[in-house]
Amino acid sequence: MILEIRTYRLKPATTDEFVRVMREEAAPLLGRFGIRVVAAGASLVREDGHEEAYLIRAFPSLAVRDEQEEAFYGSAAWREGPRDAILSRIESYHTVVLETADQAAEVLGRS
């Protein structure tokens, strides 16, 4: 299993709306494209006073990740849907992709 952990440094005073759009609009849309959202939300602490959020997604392989992301980010549903509401609140982001053991996947709630 592949886990992708994406962290976002957000523009000031945008965390609540970013998290709402991510959970209520973007995450369900990702699911429609077969992308499993493990967790999404606001960081419990501020690094250097910055507002931050995260998105953790799971994929069966890197190849599937590439295919699903291409389909999702190239879709009209994303471009005409929550894209602007998400991107307009992001100052910067960072992505880490790692391979996990099946036991780690179980801990994260894989069914």
Side-chain angles (χ1 to χ4, degrees):
M1 181 170 113
I2 302 299
L3 276 184
E4 176 191 81
I5 303 168
R6 190 169 285 183
T7 59
Y8 303 94
R9 178 156 290 171
L10 302 175
K11 294 178 181 175
T14 64
T15 301
D16 291 343
E17 186 61 9
F18 178 88
V19 170
R20 185 197 69 73
V21 173
M22 181 64 74
R23 288 180 176 167
E24 295 178 12
E25 298 178 37
L29 184 59
L30 285 160
R32 290 200 325 241
F33 281 81
I35 298 172
R36 182 164 168 261
V37 174
V38 176
S43 176
L44 297 177
V45 297
R46 291 181 175 210
E47 184 176 323
D48 298 326
H50 295 282
E51 296 182 35
E52 296 183 317
Y54 63 90
L55 172 65
I56 302 172
R57 305 186 300 183
F59 302 90
S61 69
L62 283 174
V64 170
R65 175 184 177 262
D66 292 344
E67 292 169 12
Q68 289 178 331
E69 283 195 328
E70 183 177 329
F72 176 76
Y73 290 116
S75 73
W78 166 245
R79 288 190 319 272
E80 298 167 10
R83 181 184 183 276
D84 288 341
I86 293 288
L87 296 182
S88 68
R89 291 172 171 86
I90 297 172
E91 188 173 296
S92 64
Y93 72 93
H94 182 76
T95 302
V96 175
V97 179
L98 57 128
E99 188 171 24
T100 67
D102 287 338
Q103 288 179 327
E106 289 176 21
V107 169
L108 293 169
R110 185 175 116 186
S111 37

